[in-house]
Amino acid sequence: MNHTELLQTAGDILDSAVDDFVAGLGAPSAVAKGATDFATQVDLDLERRIATELVERTGIPVHGEEFGGPSVTEGTVWVLDPVDGTYNYSTGMPLAAILLGLLVDGEPVLGLTWLPLLGRRFAGHVDGPLLVDGHPVPPLDRLDLQAGVIAYGPFNAASQGRYAGARRVDVVRALSSRIARLRMTGSTGVDMAYTAAGVFGGAVAFGRHAWDNAAGAALVRAAGGVATDLGGTPWTATSTSLVCGAPGLHEELMAVIGDVVGDEWGTAPTQPGTNEATGGRP
């Protein structure tokens, strides 16, 4: 299949899962992963269902958040997060998504982000255009940081790890006087899809998992935006973070981050599956 056919097929599969996603809103924890991190039964059921259909209809294997799968850095593989923003979803907040990305040797080439509770669909491949609810939209215009809304990933200010909470606070403090508005939605998928669509000017995510980031990176690039890690290196499946933005704004955003942390958050890829504290997840 070519990219257009893959988008259509994958979109049909996600469409078929929407009713179950909506019906499960408010589902409690079924599998505990941490103090405030868990999976619901909806996560588990949707991943099994979507992954099975993707393999049957495209012949491409799937790596999912809940059940794993083949390497995300070698060959062609789907990466799936059946419920992104699980905490939001479990508490009844509609900012939750189904995320599906296609990686080729770790490079994001295609992304789909479905927001079933809002009735919105974002899809695209890296050659563009971005499709919003099935319709192509113009590429992103250049944007100044001071006019932009920036989405920022949730965190614990007391956490340690590669991106220590205290330093994340320092970056927020610096950004607060340089941007129009700061937003924290609790969903990486929402943040990146809204960045691709121009709702947000940019977004910063501190998570390293490909299932969280691949779809968004592909969507932003399809829209003509920029997707890197916090060190400024183009995003791949080995990246430990994701920073996306409109042309112009991304460069300014990275400059502010660099002014605060210097080389402290420079690029240092890790292999997917290794343990690294990230100070909390959506």
Side-chain angles (χ1 to χ4, degrees), residues 29 33 44 71-73 79 115 127 181 186 223 230 234-236 263 267:
S29 170
K33 301 180 182 181
L44 306 178
S71 169
V72 297
T73 61
V79 284
L115 309 183
D127 295 325
R181 292 289 187 275
L230 280 161
W235 189 88
T236 71
D263 294 331
T267 300

Side-chain angles (χ1 to χ4, degrees), residues 31-123:
V31 178
K33 301 180 182 181
T36 59
D37 187 17
F38 55 87
T40 70
Q41 191 62 45
V42 178
D43 292 77
L44 306 178
D45 293 344
L46 283 185
E47 182 167 317
R48 290 190 185 100
R49 172 182 169 179
I50 293 170
T52 297
E53 291 189 37
L54 284 169
V55 173
E56 289 177 350
R57 295 183 61 180
T58 71
I60 299 171
V62 179
H63 186 114
E65 176 176 7
E66 308 307 333
F67 298 107
S71 169
V72 297
T73 61
E74 299 176 359
T76 302
V77 60
W78 294 108
V79 284
L80 170 66
D81 186 346
V83 183
D84 175 67
T86 304
Y87 201 91
N88 289 353
Y89 183 75
S90 187
T91 58
M93 184 184 295
L95 296 178
I98 306 173
L99 307 183
L100 181 63
L102 185 68
L103 296 168
V104 177
D105 295 330
E107 294 284 345
V109 299
L110 183 152
L112 300 95
T113 295
W114 259 225
L115 309 183
L117 300 168
L118 300 177
R120 305 305 306 273
R121 301 178 300 158
F122 303 84

Side-chain angles (χ1 to χ4, degrees), residues 15-31:
D15 282 344
S16 72
V18 162
D19 287 347
D20 288 343
F21 187 104
V22 172
L25 180 65
S29 170
V31 178

Side-chain angles (χ1 to χ4, degrees), residues 6-7 13 22 68 81 83-84 87 91 101 112 130 152 155 166 168 198 201 205 217-218 224 233 253 270 273:
L6 284 171
L7 273 181
I13 292 170
V22 172
D81 186 346
V83 183
D84 175 67
Y87 201 91
T91 58
L112 300 95
L130 175 70
Y152 204 71
F155 62 92
R168 302 190 201 188
T233 299
L253 176 58
T270 61

Side-chain angles (χ1 to χ4, degrees), residues 260-278:
V260 175
V261 301
D263 294 331
E264 186 178 333
W265 289 354
T267 300
T270 61
Q271 289 300 313
T274 60
N275 291 323
E276 180 175 308
T278 58

